[in-house]
Amino acid sequence: VMLHNREDTDSVYMIQHLSRILNYALRIKEYIVPLRAEISSLESYVTILNLRLGNSFDTEWKIPPSLLDTKTLKSLMQPLIENSIEHGIQKLPSNKRGKLTIEVSELNNTLYITVTDNGVGFDNAKLQEINNAIHSNEVFQNEHIGLKNVAGRIKLLFGNSGGCQIESNSEHTSVTIYHPIIE
């Protein structure tokens, strides 16, 4: 790309970020990773999405440096970010800029990771449908598979000590995943 079209810096930038994501996905074999590694991969993922969507949203990372070495599950947040963009921010009217916020906190030896968007949100009936779907015992579902996989991975590893909470209204949607601090 650099040799044939020196003007296309977005493509070069996108390829660099894609290579970081692939390196993370293929090279790091551990299932449990430092939050620092997960965030680094997610920064590349969010950059690619934003480039692809014409720089249509802003991202705010609220992560205390003291938590960067805390462990979490590999690739746990990517489906949450993907959903925020696809089902929230992309559905905003063209005159409203999207905002994605990723916040990490710790309370009572539990790690909380929240992904919030200022997208269109959904009503209580849809919220109930999504909660039912992600907490059901059905193995195959066409919708909500990303959230169901995230909730299932947390449940599998942490039992009732971990979980997933969703809040939504017409102005935002927040998905919080939580699990015990991994020693």
Side-chain angles (χ1 to χ4, degrees), residues 47-172:
T47 298
I48 289 171
L49 286 175
N50 211 359
L51 283 169
R52 199 182 107 229
L53 297 173
N55 194 29
S56 62
F57 65 92
D58 298 314
T59 306
E60 183 177 13
W61 301 87
K62 296 180 176 182
I63 303 163
S66 62
L67 293 178
L68 287 173
D69 291 322
T70 305
K71 306 279 187 177
T72 192
L73 304 181
K74 183 179 177 182
S75 302
L76 190 64
M77 293 181 270
Q78 183 272 331
L80 308 181
I81 291 171
E82 182 178 344
N83 284 350
S84 285
I85 301 299
E86 183 178 334
H87 301 293
I89 291 173
Q90 276 190 283
K91 294 183 179 183
L92 285 170
S94 60
N95 64 342
K96 187 171 181 186
R97 186 157 179 83
K99 182 169 184 187
L100 178 68
T101 304
I102 296 96
E103 185 171 5
V104 179
S105 61
E106 184 266 334
L107 179 65
N108 297 329
N109 210 30
T110 300
L111 185 68
Y112 292 88
I113 301 167
T114 302
V115 176
T116 303
D117 65 71
N118 69 333
V120 295
F122 41 86
D123 61 24
N124 284 335
K126 184 71 172 175
L127 180 61
Q128 187 63 41
E129 173 194 323
I130 293 170
N131 276 315
N132 288 342
I134 66 171
H135 297 333
S136 76
N137 290 326
E138 292 181 37
V139 176
F140 299 105
Q141 290 199 351
N142 294 330
E143 290 187 330
H144 319 301
I145 194 78
L147 278 173
K148 185 164 179 59
N149 285 343
V150 167
R153 289 175 64 201
I154 292 170
K155 190 67 126 180
L156 184 65
L157 200 58
F158 301 106
N160 292 330
S161 298
C164 180
Q165 295 174 247
I166 304 168
E167 297 175 10
S168 188
N169 60 39
S170 62
E171 297 176 8
H172 82 280

Side-chain angles (χ1 to χ4, degrees), residues 5-31:
N5 188 356
R6 295 183 195 278
E7 305 292 318
D8 195 358
T9 56
D10 282 352
S11 293
V12 172
Y13 195 51
M14 207 179 244
I15 291 168
Q16 288 172 334
H17 283 282
L18 180 59
S19 71
R20 288 181 188 156
I21 293 169
L22 289 172
N23 186 44
Y24 176 70
L26 299 174
R27 202 181 102 219
I28 298 176
K29 305 257 186 254
E30 292 84 18
Y31 186 69

